[in-house]
């Protein structure tokens, strides 16, 4: 791209907070006209929030967004679209029951003189745009029948019916095969030649190196650097992305445990989701599953717990092998899984603390099928004290507690079932620093007491501080393993962003049409 | 992958099924209607003759209109269980008006349709803007509208003798041997089917039901679309109420009771997905025909009345179970992108 003095998009000092959490803080950068501009950063770096502000889904608290020099104050995504800004998201935002052409034109259908939709023109136009994109998709076929790649091209086709000036691609290749991604890049190239600017968000750094003209790195909601892509190596990009400091007072000190293997996963697979996952967790060991959002970590945990029964492989607990089929079965085997969204999946927020803690052990503490309130509190008290749950009383409704204290209740509830293995999904996501340290301390104590813990976390400093071993998951496979000594944020991030050619998409091979 | 031949064959079959699920759905409606007709034709002597088929068509005409109205709402992923009470209030007020103003002509139709429209708007506002789940909102208005009908009626009935002559005659009128009301019902279904392809707002009805979350990204203003669906449902039901009062002997405050159930049965039998986004009005027409065929067949076979309710219930649950199976498949393909 020749030097082009005018900027298509300028983001100037933009900030956005959600309550006390600052998602984006004073970010400024500019996208050149007709350039591919990559936006990279770790999970939670604020990329999505920034995109939502550019497309009008969110309004910035501070700062301005300028398109071709004019300030944008979008009320809705439609306003943004009218100005030529469209976004293609990783998860399809389309209508599965309608056909391809209708999805492209919904809301903007060509009308005839009668005010009715001119179907012939609509299908012809759709055909033309799809041809132009070089995609062989029948405009009359049902969207639900199309593949993820085709659906993404439909979204791009949709963007093309408007006068497009800026196209935002939010992790477009996350669910594409290498060949499909190649097609997408060709399309990006031809759009670029037409003068469309592309803001490209990706975790795959070699892709960024391949197609981006400029790169902006974000970290912790802040702008780190914007520079021509050619001035970066993959290593230097990772270097700018990581380097967050551990905002917790707790660092685990225990030496690596030498206990017996309690949890052993062998060859766990689920076509299209994850493939051939094998690892083990020893008594007293904390094993971390690191990786990018969408890499398949939660899915693997859910498979181990039986929510998402795997199609192959086994889970052994204390040497007893099984194929997980249901959560009930795995609970009986001694697996406790604490999901990320604790309110939705783990708590009855209207009930009190003690009732929640006792919920999963009712049949054990009840007498003749009845439970006394005092029995409940008696049972719950030691847990509550162990976890230092801060509440007026044991009967206080969980709804009245802070996020951190709720998390403690969830942990207590699961520990009450006397599990053999504990799986934690983002255990400190969205809780304040002080409580975070308490939760870390408690998890660490549990491990010290001989508990095997499997912990999913996108918070790299947390992973480094807590885990004895770190497994990196990318595209549904474990791509790297580090001991606590060898692990660094750079190493983990590099492994997570690398897409091995072989395992580009788990289950790609076994999943025929 | 293990047992190759068997697995491949099974996968091919399941792929073929999932590819054609939507199409299969519409055909299965027609197929059931044909199958039903054959069964009754073989088992019930007086079933298969022109006179009786005309009776079936006549009986299904009103149901077709009400079910098409209900389908509009169901396609947006909502339910309207108040249609029976809309028939009651719109019909009763229109009848009272007609009896009091004998020379008012077409104004009676306007009264019925406007009241239906108004009640539909009430439902739509509660659901789209009040954010009350549609089943709860319309369960409430089911009682409210009926209650208002009782208040308006204050214990009186309107005998059909008090209605203008032309209404009574119109109910029995035929054109080319077909009852007028049947032709009207078919016209309603055909027009809706046609506009359902071509009218932008009706495409939005489908889009909102297919993926309410995506509708936001398209700036479709789902609220308005849902309000539109409920309002037009009300207006169509008002039209059906007018047709209904022209043909019953005495118009009581209980007019249209339990119709919501029958209408919903016709809608789901007709292949409209209760999870929104898909359904054809021609399918609904067939759904109404199926119910009326069952009714008729059972009467001819001298089966006790309660069988009707029983079969209607089974048909609803069966159709919805079948449907949710199909919907799961669609969502599964959509999520994993495997065509």
């Amino acid at each position: 791209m020749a030097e082009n003095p005018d900027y298509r998009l300028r983001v100037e000092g933009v900030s956005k907070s959600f309550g006390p959490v600052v998602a984006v803080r004073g970010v400024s950068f500019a996208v050149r006209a007709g350039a591919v501009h990559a936006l990279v950063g770790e999970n939670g770096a604020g990329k999505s929030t920034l995109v939502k502000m550019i497309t009008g889904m969110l309004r910035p608290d501070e700062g301005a967004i300028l398109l071709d020099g004019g300030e944008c104050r979008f009320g809705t995504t439609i306003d943004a679209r009218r100005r030529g800004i469209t976004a293609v998201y990783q998860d399809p935002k389309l209508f599965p029951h309608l056909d391809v052409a209708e999805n492209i034109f919904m809301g903007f259908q060509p009308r005839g003189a009668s005010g009715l939709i001119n179907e012939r023109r609509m299908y012809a136009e759709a055909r033309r745009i799809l041809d132009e994109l070089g995609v062989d998709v029948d405009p009359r076929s049902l969207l639900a029948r199309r593949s993820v790649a085709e659906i993404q091209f439909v979204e791009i086709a949709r963007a093309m019916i408007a006068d497009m000036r800026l196209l935002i691609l939010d992790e477009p290749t996350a669910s594409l095969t290498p060949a499909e991604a190649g097609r997408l890049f060709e399309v990006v190239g031809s759009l670029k030649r037409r003068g469309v600017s592309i803001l490209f968000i990706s975790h795959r750094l070699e892709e960024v190196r391949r197609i981006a003209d400029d790169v902006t790195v974000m970290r912790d909601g802040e702008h780190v650097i914007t520079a021509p892509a050619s001035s970066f190596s993959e290593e230097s990009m990772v270097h700018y992305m990581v380097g967050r400091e551990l905002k917790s007072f707790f660092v685990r000190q225990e030496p690596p445990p030498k206990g017996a293997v309690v949890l052993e996963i062998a060859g766990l697979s689920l076509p299209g989701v994850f493939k051939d996952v094998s690892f083990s967790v020893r008594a007293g060991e904390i094993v971390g599953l690191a990786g990018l959002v969408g890499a398949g970590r939660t899915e693997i945990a859910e498979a181990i717990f039986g929510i998402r029964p795997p199609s192959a492989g086994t889970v052994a607990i204390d040497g007893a092998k099984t194929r997980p089929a249901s959560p009930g079965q795995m609970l009986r085997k001694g697996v406790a899984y604490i999901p990320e969204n604790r309110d939705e999946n783990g708590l009855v927020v209207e009930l009190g603390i003690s009732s929640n803690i006792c919920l999963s052990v009712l049949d054990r503490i009840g007498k003749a099928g009845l439970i006394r309130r005092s029995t409940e509190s008696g049972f719950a008290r030691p847990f509550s004290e162990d976890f230092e749950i801060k509440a007026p009383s044991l009967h206080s409704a969980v709804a009245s507690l802070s996020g951190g204290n709720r998390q403690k209740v969830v942990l207590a509830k699961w520990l009450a079932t006397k599990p053999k293995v504990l799986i934690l999904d983002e255990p400190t996501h969205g809780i304040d620093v002080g409580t975070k340290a308490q939760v870390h301390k408690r998890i660490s104590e549990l491990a010290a007491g001989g508990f095997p813990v499997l912990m999913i976390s996108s918070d790299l400093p947390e992973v480094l501080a807590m885990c004895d071993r770190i497994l990196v998951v990318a595209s549904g496979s474990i791509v790297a393993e580090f001991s606590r000594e060898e692990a660094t944020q750079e190493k983990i991030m590099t492994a997570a962003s690398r897409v091995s050619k072989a395992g580009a998409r788990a289950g790609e091979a076994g999943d025929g049409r | 992958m293990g047992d190759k031949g068997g697995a491949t064959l099974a996968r091919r079959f399941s792929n073929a099924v999932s590819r054609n699920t939507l199409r299969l759905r519409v055909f299965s409606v027609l197929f059931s209607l044909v199958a039903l007709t054959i069964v009754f034709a073989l088992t019930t002597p007086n079933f298969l003759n022109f006179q009786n088929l005309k009776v079936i068509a006549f009986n299904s005409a009103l149901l077709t209109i009400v079910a098409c109205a209900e389908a509009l709402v169901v396609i947006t992923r909502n339910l309207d269980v108040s249609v029976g009470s809309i028939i009651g209030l719109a019909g009763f007020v229109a009848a009272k008006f007609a009896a009091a103003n004998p020379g008012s002509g077409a104004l009676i139709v306007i009264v019925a349709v406007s009241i239906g429209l108004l009640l539909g708007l009430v439902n739509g506002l509660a659901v789209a803007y009040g954010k009350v789940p549609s089943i709860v909102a319309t369960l409430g208005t089911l009682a409210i509208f009926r209650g208002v009908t009782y208040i308006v009626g204050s214990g009186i009935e309107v005998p059909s003798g008090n209605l203008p002559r032309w209404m009574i005659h119109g109910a029995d009128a035929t054109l080319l041997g077909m009852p007028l009301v049947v032709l009207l019902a078919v016209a309603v279904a055909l027009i809706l089917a046609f506009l359902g392809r071509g009218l932008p707002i009706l495409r939005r009805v489908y889009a909102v039901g297919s993926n309410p979350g995506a509708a936001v990204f398209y700036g479709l203003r789902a609220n308005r679309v849902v309000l539109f669906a409920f309002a037009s449902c009300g207006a169509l039901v008002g039209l059906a109420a007018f047709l209904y009062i022209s043909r019953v002997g005495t118009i009581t405050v209980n007019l249209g009771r339990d119709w919501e159930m029958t209408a919903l049965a016709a809608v789901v039998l007709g292949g409209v997905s209760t999870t929104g986004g898909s359904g054809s009005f021609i399918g609904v027409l067939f759904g109404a025909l199926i119910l009326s065929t069952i009714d008729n067949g059972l009467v001819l076979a001298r089966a006790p009345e309660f069988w009707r309710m029983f079969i209607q219930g089974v048909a609803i649950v069966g159709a919805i179970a079948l449907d949710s199976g199909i919907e799961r498949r669609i969502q599964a393909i959509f999520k994993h992108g495997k065509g």
Side-chain angles (χ1 to χ4, degrees):
Chain A
M1 218 39 229
E3 275 309 307
N4 200 335
D6 59 331
Y7 289 113
R8 178 55 46 82
L9 177 82
R10 291 169 71 96
V11 176
E12 286 182 351
V14 163
S15 298
K16 179 78 192 176
S17 308
F18 299 102
V21 184
V22 182
V24 171
R25 194 195 317 259
V27 169
S28 302
F29 69 94
V31 178
R32 290 184 291 138
V36 177
H37 193 114
L39 185 59
V40 299
E42 275 188 84
N43 299 332
K47 300 174 306 245
S48 312
T49 309
L50 191 63
V51 166
K52 283 184 181 159
M53 287 189 280
I54 297 171
T55 56
M57 281 183 70
L58 290 174
R59 253 172 255 206
D61 298 337
E62 278 171 41
I65 291 165
L66 290 89
L67 185 73
D68 287 327
E71 190 175 347
C72 306
R73 288 186 178 280
F74 300 139
T76 66
T77 52
I78 298 311
D79 294 344
R81 197 182 154 83
R82 288 213 182 91
R83 296 282 299 272
I85 299 179
T86 38
V88 172
Y89 300 92
Q90 189 184 346
D91 48 330
K93 303 264 186 291
L94 292 166
F95 306 110
H97 302 86
L98 306 185
D99 69 27
V100 167
E102 282 203 283
N103 270 284
I104 295 175
F105 284 98
M106 180 54 68
F108 300 90
Q109 296 100 333
R111 314 261 174 103
S114 57
L116 295 185
I117 296 165
N118 184 337
E119 285 202 32
R120 187 181 301 174
R121 223 175 87 208
M122 182 169 87
Y123 287 105
E125 281 279 290
R127 170 91 279 163
R128 189 183 60 70
I129 294 170
L130 291 168
D131 283 347
E132 202 176 314
L133 287 175
V135 206
D136 183 27
V137 174
D138 180 3
R140 287 183 188 273
S141 62
L142 208 58
L143 189 84
R145 284 176 49 195
R146 312 317 323 176
S147 72
V148 173
E150 289 168 333
I151 287 171
Q152 260 167 357
F153 284 116
V154 170
E155 287 219 50
I156 294 174
R158 175 170 172 70
M160 287 175 64
I161 62 166
D163 171 28
M164 182 164 52
R165 293 201 270 180
L166 175 70
L167 173 65
I168 301 173
L169 297 171
D170 190 353
E171 292 213 42
T173 58
S175 42
L176 301 189
T177 63
E180 291 166 336
R183 273 233 42 82
L184 179 72
F185 296 151
E186 280 172 33
V187 169
V188 165
S190 78
L191 289 174
K192 181 176 137 177
R193 280 191 291 281
R194 281 205 250 155
V196 176
S197 297
I198 289 130
L199 186 60
F200 177 76
I201 296 162
S202 178
H203 283 305
R204 300 186 173 175
L205 300 182
E206 89 279 358
E207 259 172 33
V208 170
R209 294 253 306 136
R210 197 168 124 202
I211 72 159
D213 300 305
D214 302 307
V215 176
T216 290
V217 183
M218 284 180 73
R219 183 210 301 152
D220 264 347
E222 292 180 33
H223 176 260
V224 180
I225 184 173
T226 298
S230 52
S231 66
F232 289 98
S233 65
E234 278 183 42
E235 291 69 36
S236 65
M237 261 190 266
V238 168
H239 175 77
Y240 286 115
M241 282 158 69
V242 300
R244 245 159 20 104
E245 281 171 31
L246 178 57
K247 288 184 190 155
S248 164
F249 314 111
F250 185 80
V251 176
R252 195 155 165 261
Q253 300 298 348
E254 279 77 23
K258 299 258 175 354
V261 168
V262 179
L263 176 70
E264 181 147 28
I265 314 294
L268 220 54
S269 298
L270 186 60
V273 185
F274 52 82
K275 189 169 78 176
D276 203 14
V277 172
S278 303
F279 63 89
S280 61
V281 186
R282 293 174 175 277
E285 191 179 30
I286 302 180
V287 171
L289 282 185
L292 303 165
V293 168
R297 295 169 303 164
T298 296
E299 289 77 4
I300 292 171
E302 286 180 354
I304 297 171
F305 190 54
I307 296 175
R308 211 185 263 268
S311 60
T314 56
V315 172
I317 288 140
D318 282 337
K321 277 190 193 171
T322 46
R323 164 85 54 83
S326 75
Q329 168 209 3
M330 297 317 286
L331 262 175
R332 282 191 297 277
K333 301 262 181 224
V335 178
Y337 169 61
I338 303 178
E340 181 178 0
N341 193 338
R342 47 190 172 269
D343 289 357
E344 250 177 54
N345 302 323
L347 288 173
V348 185
V349 294
E350 294 83 4
L351 288 181
I353 296 169
S354 53
S355 305
N356 267 289
I357 293 179
C358 296
L359 212 54
S360 44
V361 291
L362 288 178
D363 47 350
R364 221 168 66 211
I365 61 171
K367 282 203 181 77
L370 297 174
I371 286 136
R372 297 165 70 122
R373 213 163 142 95
S374 58
T375 319
E376 268 192 353
S377 352
F379 181 83
R381 183 158 293 116
F383 287 98
S384 169
E385 282 167 2
D386 265 7
F387 277 98
E388 301 167 43
I389 296 171
K390 289 194 187 70
S393 104
L394 272 175
H395 300 297
S396 308
V398 167
S400 66
L401 302 182
S402 70
N405 279 303
R406 287 187 191 192
Q407 182 67 306
K408 292 181 191 171
V409 175
V410 177
L411 275 169
K413 175 187 147 187
W414 284 103
L415 288 175
T417 66
K418 296 187 185 157
K420 291 178 183 159
V421 179
L422 200 55
I423 304 175
L424 306 169
D425 195 346
E426 302 284 0
T428 61
H429 185 234
I431 66 183
D432 67 89
V433 177
T435 318
K436 212 172 200 176
Q438 283 177 15
V439 171
H440 285 160
K441 178 163 160 270
R442 189 73 190 106
I443 294 172
S444 183
E445 283 168 8
L446 286 169
F451 244 114
V453 178
L454 179 64
M455 183 167 107
I456 296 174
S457 175
S458 293
D459 192 341
L460 284 183
E462 173 177 277
V463 170
L464 290 172
M466 293 291 296
C467 300
D468 298 303
R469 259 190 311 134
I470 295 146
L471 308 173
V472 184
V473 181
S475 305
S477 303
I478 293 178
V479 292
E481 176 175 344
F482 303 106
S483 69
R484 182 147 40 137
E485 292 70 40
E486 31 181 33
T488 62
Q489 294 196 32
E490 279 87 354
K491 281 185 187 170
I492 295 174
M493 203 58 206
T494 307
S497 327
R498 195 172 47 215
V499 186
S500 65
K501 299 281 178 291
R505 257 191 90 188
E508 199 180 293
D511 221 38
R513 288 276 162 94
Chain B
M1 301 209 125
D3 178 5
K4 207 122 200 169
T8 322
L9 200 67
R11 196 181 315 125
R12 268 210 199 138
F13 177 72
S14 92
N15 278 340
V17 169
S18 53
R19 250 200 297 281
N20 295 301
T21 36
L22 282 185
R23 224 168 298 156
L24 280 175
R25 191 71 188 86
V26 178
F27 278 116
S28 68
V29 185
L30 193 56
F31 176 77
S32 339
L33 183 59
V34 172
L36 211 57
T37 309
I38 293 174
V39 168
F40 279 126
L42 292 178
T43 56
T44 317
N46 296 323
F47 181 80
L48 201 63
N49 61 57
F50 184 67
Q51 208 48 43
N52 191 47
L53 293 184
K54 212 158 83 175
V55 168
I56 292 176
F58 187 76
N59 289 340
S60 67
L62 285 183
L63 181 57
T64 301
I65 298 176
V66 178
C68 281
E70 179 75 48
L72 278 169
V73 171
V74 175
I75 291 169
T76 64
R77 212 180 266 198
N78 284 295
L79 282 178
D80 186 346
V81 296
S82 73
V83 290
S85 295
I86 297 180
I87 295 178
L89 186 50
F92 193 82
V93 173
K96 233 180 140 180
F97 174 81
N101 309 278
S104 48
L107 204 57
I108 304 167
V109 186
I110 296 172
V111 166
V113 172
S114 315
I115 293 173
L117 177 69
L118 188 75
L119 303 184
L121 278 170
V122 170
N123 284 335
L125 286 172
V127 174
Y129 293 91
K131 300 291 170 213
V132 185
S134 61
I135 178 120
V136 179
T138 55
L139 206 53
T141 55
L142 172 77
I144 294 170
F145 298 162
R146 186 62 68 188
V148 173
T149 314
Y150 285 141
I151 295 167
V152 174
S154 57
I156 56 155
E157 297 175 342
V158 183
S160 61
N162 292 4
L163 295 179
R165 272 274 168 78
W166 63 271
M167 281 178 70
I168 313 294
H169 289 313
D172 297 324
T174 60
L175 185 70
L176 307 169
M178 269 314 231
L180 216 48
V181 54
V182 171
L183 297 176
L184 189 63
V186 173
V188 164
L190 286 178
I191 289 172
L192 277 173
F194 175 71
L195 292 181
R197 293 283 327 158
L199 196 65
I201 181 79
L202 278 181
R203 289 322 294 164
R204 292 179 183 211
V205 165
Y206 280 91
V208 166
S210 176
N211 191 352
V216 180
F217 288 84
Y218 281 54
L220 293 188
R221 280 180 286 228
N223 293 344
R224 284 195 205 177
V225 175
V226 170
L227 180 63
F228 167 83
F230 274 99
S232 28
C233 168
L236 267 177
V237 172
L239 174 68
F242 164 78
L243 297 171
Y244 198 15
I245 55 173
S246 349
R247 83 181 213 208
V248 290
T250 308
I251 297 113
T252 74
V253 287
N254 286 320
L255 187 80
R257 221 169 230 284
D258 297 337
W259 268 67
E260 55 279 343
M261 201 59 181
T262 319
L264 205 57
V267 167
V268 295
L269 279 176
V272 176
S273 164
T274 48
T275 44
S278 79
S280 97
F281 293 96
I282 305 296
V284 173
L285 175 76
F286 290 141
L289 269 174
I290 288 179
L291 281 181
S292 136
T293 305
I294 294 176
D295 246 11
N296 179 274
L298 290 179
V299 169
L300 291 185
R302 296 173 202 283
E305 155 81 357
F306 62 78
W307 276 105
R308 214 197 90 216
M309 292 172 71
F310 177 82
I311 289 176
Q312 192 170 300
V314 169
I316 292 181
V317 176
I320 290 181
L322 174 67
D323 216 64
S324 68
I326 291 174
E327 186 59 24
R328 265 202 306 280
R329 292 225 61 114
I330 288 179
Q331 291 302 339
I333 311 167
F334 194 51
K335 275 218 182 84
H336 297 297
K338 296 286 175 274

